[in-house]
């Protein structure tokens, strides 16, 4: 899309490198917009733009600063969240707020649905923010440090399902770490299986088994017992060719732990 309308691209792995700084300096930007970039943008880079640098964060700052924010939002059962444009400074997600849009988190929110809501907000908020910068009306609202909270980084291996947890927690976990992230996974024998979609089974008294034990297997999916005696109904998994049998045990660990 960018190339189609004549926007040039410069690829870098270090936004603060001399090569990157020289490239940005040659452009002479009025403002720098940082979206989806996890490195801290140093003062030298930020000062290359005459009007400063603006960052995007997928939370209602000052809450949920840091990494892995979309999965953490769902894992924590947050009722509301927000999309925030803020002025970058020397800290992490702590600069003054320019523009913020707060919205409700759906009961069955997935990482993908929440990600897409933030993308929609970016499309609408960025033009508004740029107009405010152009007219000199862009605010710099200080964040309330007393309300700040911090999210730790999540890695692909953190998607390992613990079947000893309650079924509601497991379905929430699957929703939180799925697409566009690596996904929730378990092990059947030596095979790693990704669980992409699962719901609570509505009849908690029908099946009796051990956590991680498959209770039924059908054409549309399979039921797995969880730690509270309730089952999750798995409807999408990878690879679909996995040989899953009734009463087999899905495990939270395997001798094959390396991320592919």
């Amino acid at each position: 899309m960018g190339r189609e309308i004549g926007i040039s691209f410069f690829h870098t792995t270090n936004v603060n490198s001399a090569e990157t700084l020289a490239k940005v300096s040659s452009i002479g930007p009025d403002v720098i917009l940082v979206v989806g970039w996890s490195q801290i943008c140093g003062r030298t880079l930020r000062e290359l733009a005459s009007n400063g640098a603006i960052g995007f964060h997928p939370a209602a700052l000052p809450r949920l600063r840091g990494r892995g924010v979309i999965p953490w939002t769902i894992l924590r059962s947050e009722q509301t969240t927000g999309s925030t444009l803020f002025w970058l400074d020397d800290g992490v997600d702590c600069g003054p707020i320019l523009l913020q849009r707060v919205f409700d988190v759906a009961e069955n929110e997935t990482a993908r649905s929440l990600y897409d809501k933030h993308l929609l907000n970016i499309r609408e908020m960025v033009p508004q923010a740029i107009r405010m910068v152009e007219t000199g009306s862009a605010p710099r609202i200080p964040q309330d440090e007393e309300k700040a909270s911090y999210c730790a980084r999540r890695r692909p291996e953190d998607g390992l399902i613990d079947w000893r947890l309650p079924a509601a927690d497991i379905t929430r976990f699957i929703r939180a770490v799925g697409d566009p992230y690596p996904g929730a996974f378990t092990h059947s024998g030596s095979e790693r299986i990704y669980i992409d979609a699962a719901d609570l089974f509505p009849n908690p008294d029908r099946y009796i088994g051990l956590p991680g034990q498959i209770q039924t297997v059908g054409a549309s999916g399979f039921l797995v017992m969880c730690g509270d005696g309730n089952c999750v109904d798995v409807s999408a998994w990878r690879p679909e060719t996995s040989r899953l049998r009734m009463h087999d045990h899905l495990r939270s660990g395997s001798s094959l732990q390396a991320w592919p």
Side-chain angles (χ1 to χ4, degrees):
M1 177 70 73
R3 291 187 176 89
E4 293 174 359
I5 60 176
I7 296 176
S8 61
F9 285 82
F10 172 75
H11 296 275
T12 182
T13 57
N14 183 357
V15 74
N16 299 301
S17 69
E19 182 183 13
T20 303
L21 293 174
K23 180 64 176 180
V24 175
S25 178
S26 70
I27 297 170
D30 297 313
V31 65
I32 294 173
L33 181 65
V34 180
V35 179
W37 189 263
S38 59
Q39 291 177 350
I40 294 177
C41 297
R43 182 182 297 271
T44 302
L45 174 70
R46 302 195 309 268
E47 291 181 347
L48 291 175
S50 57
N51 290 293
I54 300 169
F56 174 81
H57 192 70
L61 293 174
R63 299 193 68 251
L64 303 186
R65 295 171 176 173
R67 306 284 292 276
V69 174
I70 289 177
W72 283 121
T73 298
I74 298 172
L75 289 170
R76 287 174 50 83
S77 298
E78 296 286 327
Q79 300 298 303
T80 61
T81 188
S83 299
T84 304
L85 291 173
F86 66 103
W87 296 98
L88 296 179
D89 60 12
D90 291 331
V92 177
D93 303 328
C94 58
I97 292 173
L98 191 164
L99 192 61
Q100 186 174 89
R101 181 177 293 184
V102 176
F103 58 94
D104 292 334
V105 179
E107 182 177 354
N108 291 317
E109 199 83 72
T110 66
R112 169 50 65 185
S113 65
L114 187 52
Y115 186 93
D116 288 344
K117 289 177 182 179
H118 285 297
L119 287 181
L120 177 61
N121 284 341
I122 289 175
R123 294 189 187 104
E124 297 175 351
M125 293 170 67
V126 167
Q128 181 182 355
I130 295 302
R131 286 193 295 269
M132 296 168 76
V133 172
E134 289 176 334
T135 60
S137 61
R140 293 177 178 265
I141 304 169
Q143 295 189 34
D144 186 349
E145 292 298 322
E146 293 298 320
K147 296 181 180 179
S149 57
Y150 298 87
C151 297
R153 178 182 180 182
R154 297 188 63 86
R155 293 177 170 83
E157 57 266 27
D158 296 325
L160 183 61
I161 298 171
D162 184 350
W163 295 107
R164 297 168 298 180
L165 294 174
D169 290 349
I170 291 174
T171 57
R172 183 184 307 110
F173 182 77
I174 292 168
R175 290 188 285 108
V177 304
D179 175 58
Y181 305 106
F185 65 93
T186 185
H187 295 98
S188 176
S190 61
E191 183 178 27
R192 176 178 287 193
I193 299 173
Y194 287 88
I195 308 296
D196 293 325
D199 294 306
L200 286 174
F201 183 65
N203 189 342
D205 298 320
R206 178 165 296 180
Y207 296 102
I208 300 169
L210 299 171
Q213 191 171 31
I214 297 176
Q215 302 299 297
T216 66
V217 177
S220 60
F222 54 95
L223 296 181
V224 185
M225 180 62 64
C226 302
D228 61 351
N230 295 326
C231 291
V232 296
D233 185 359
V234 177
S235 56
W237 65 97
R238 294 171 284 142
E240 294 182 357
T241 55
S242 300
R243 295 187 62 183
L244 301 171
R245 298 172 296 183
M246 189 168 65
H247 301 162
D248 279 355
H249 287 269
L250 300 178
R251 299 198 307 276
S252 299
S254 169
S255 58
L256 302 179
Q257 290 292 328
W259 183 252

